[in-house]
Amino acid sequence: MALARAPGLKALSLAFLLAFGAALLLGPVPLRPWALAEDPAAWPILWELRLPRALLAALVGAALALAGALLQALLRNPLADPALLGVSGGAALGAAAVLSLGAGTLASAFAVVPVAGAAFLGALLAVAMVLRLGQRGTQLDLSGVLLAGVAINTLCGAGVGLLMMLAGDGGLRSITFWLFGSLANAHWLSPLPLLITLPLTLLLTRSWGQALDQYQLGDREAAHHGLAVGRLQREGLLVATLLTALAVAVAGIIGFLGLMVPQGLVRWFGPSHRHRLPQAALAGATLLLLADLLARLLLAPAELPVGMLTALLGGPFFLWLLRRQLSHSLADGA
Amino acid sequence: MTIRGAALTVEGLSLSGPRQARLKALSVTLPRGQRLLLAGPNGAGKSSLLDVLSGDVAPSAGTLHWGPGAPAPWAERRAYLPQRNALAHPFSAAQVVALAGVGASDALDHLEELGIKDWAEQPYSTLSGGLRRLVHMARVLAQLDRLAPEVGWGFFDEPLANLDWRYAGRVLSALARRSAAGYGILLAAHELNLALPWAEQVLLLIGGHGEAFGAPAAVLTPERLATHWGVQGHFEAWEGGGRLVLDSLDP
């Protein structure tokens, strides 16, 4: 298969499998694979806690990183992040609205469904507004999209703040936790939406590499080579939005992953997009599995929200990236 | 070598602009297999004409006749180097050329043809302005070479700007080779003394209308140089070519 020979995919697959195995076996109660058969207490931990959580971490990480790689390519901006389109802001507002109404109901597993649903709807609504505002004729004005995203995110942030002020103590607490992003509430229902969507996405985008490369020439010159620029933009933004919205809906806001992973891949594997999307999915899954493992182990038996951990690691990374870009553009005289 | 395929006929082409028309009822038949120079002072409508011929901009009026057998997709009947390039992604020079849909060795051949193979692996963003332009030139030539000579057209908007004489010469020879192979080649340039020895026919645009089309000596008369460029000069013809002699920059 062509994919197996693609640069990095083998190594990334191996890293992913190792991370997945570690996420299953490590935790406050370490499991030994050879002792699973004899230990009756190990099965529920593995089957009801670790496996759904590891699956969710892998899917959410893959979805966020893939969406980030797509957005950085489509907006032709290495600093683009899934949050920029207003996805996170809209999702947060939707989730906060539901959480502030039913304070404290998060204890039951099925209370997650309305929260996730509201987050998903909020995300779609916000992106729809951003894209509508960024439209110029039949094409998108990329800087318009970015500015509209900033504005919508700010508005949603204000809305969330208002809801937090109005919510009771329980509501305030659950909104705060949701905003940090966490995989702690994972159960067998939560990975399902992404388990269906992510493989379909990888299938749909499997031949987009050359198109995304040509797209970097700019709308006009990409079209000179016969690329259907508008269609690629529409489909790509739709895919990125859907993946981000689904990820945010089940796991809250996990920042910086969608920014960091594609950036790292550019450094390791070069600027071509030929295998970027499957690479991003594998690397994102691996990274979030490891981050969640850290979040569970650092303060065990208590745990950190994984979104806080990715922000903690991602913030300095982002600053370093910014410094590097600035010094490079100075060196280029650009 | 016999030239096959039809000429490109432009009929009554007009393009309106925000303040005044960019093209005014332009009609001309552009033969294939000849080195065609598109000349005219700044703002004469050269880029507008190339935009329309490339399908980037729909004309307000008029028609283009590509002749029988022209493929429906624009990408299969023309390659176009616009005046400005927007690329900012950190591709290597060879990767930029490969965006034309050619393989790595083909991309290297096109860089070599323009004499810039040594920069193949260098990030595009670290190249000088002239070299960047040459990389795009190689990409557009690679696209043109994928088209059949009897249907393919190449439009080039000021590829000579910011090039030294060596590279300008490389670009002109690359275009001459395509034209001899039967491709339609239309080159817009302000560097008349570089381009005129190359050109077989000159299309002179003035204020959006076709002022003249023909051999360089017939088109670039001392009167036109004085009226449209504000200089004193004359065309010095020799067997199979010629050059422009500038006597004074004062009218």
Side-chain angles (χ1 to χ4, degrees), chain A residues 100-319:
Chain A
S100 67
L101 289 176
T105 49
L106 255 188
S108 110
F110 287 95
V112 182
V113 176
V115 175
F120 183 68
L121 282 181
L124 290 191
L125 270 176
V127 180
M129 281 173 71
V130 167
L131 295 187
R132 182 103 197 93
L133 289 168
Q135 193 147 34
R136 192 181 48 192
T138 55
Q139 298 239 321
L140 284 176
D141 175 55
L142 295 184
S143 53
V145 166
L146 286 173
L147 287 175
V150 171
I152 294 290
N153 265 332
T154 310
L155 272 177
C156 290
V160 171
L162 197 66
L163 286 169
M164 285 170 85
M165 279 187 61
L166 298 175
D169 277 353
L172 181 63
R173 199 178 147 73
S174 41
I175 293 176
T176 311
F177 265 87
W178 193 91
L179 285 180
F180 276 128
S182 170
L183 302 163
N185 291 319
H187 53 91
W188 274 110
L189 270 183
S190 29
L192 272 186
L194 279 175
L195 197 60
I196 297 163
T197 318
L198 191 72
L200 288 178
T201 306
L202 283 168
L203 203 67
L204 173 75
T205 58
R206 75 190 179 287
S207 53
W208 283 18
Q210 168 82 359
L212 289 174
D213 275 348
Q214 277 184 346
Y215 180 84
Q216 303 310 313
L217 284 170
D219 289 358
R220 210 176 139 191
E221 293 171 82
H224 290 163
H225 288 294
L227 183 72
V229 169
R231 188 177 155 194
L232 182 72
Q233 270 179 348
R234 277 193 300 279
E235 291 183 357
L237 290 176
L238 189 72
V239 165
T241 302
L242 195 65
L243 286 178
T244 314
L246 286 172
V248 173
V250 287
I253 293 175
I254 296 175
F256 283 113
L257 204 69
L259 174 74
M260 281 190 297
V261 171
Q263 278 298 329
L265 294 172
V266 172
R267 303 220 63 198
W268 282 315
F269 301 119
S272 168
H273 293 87
R274 186 137 305 185
H275 303 290
R276 178 58 33 83
L277 301 181
Q279 281 171 349
L282 281 169
T286 309
L287 210 63
L288 194 56
L289 278 166
L290 293 178
D292 189 47
L293 193 62
L294 265 184
R296 285 189 289 136
L297 289 177
L298 276 180
L299 302 179
E303 58 175 77
L304 276 170
V306 70
M308 191 189 274
L309 199 73
T310 56
L312 220 55
L313 299 174
F317 176 82
F318 189 88
L319 289 176

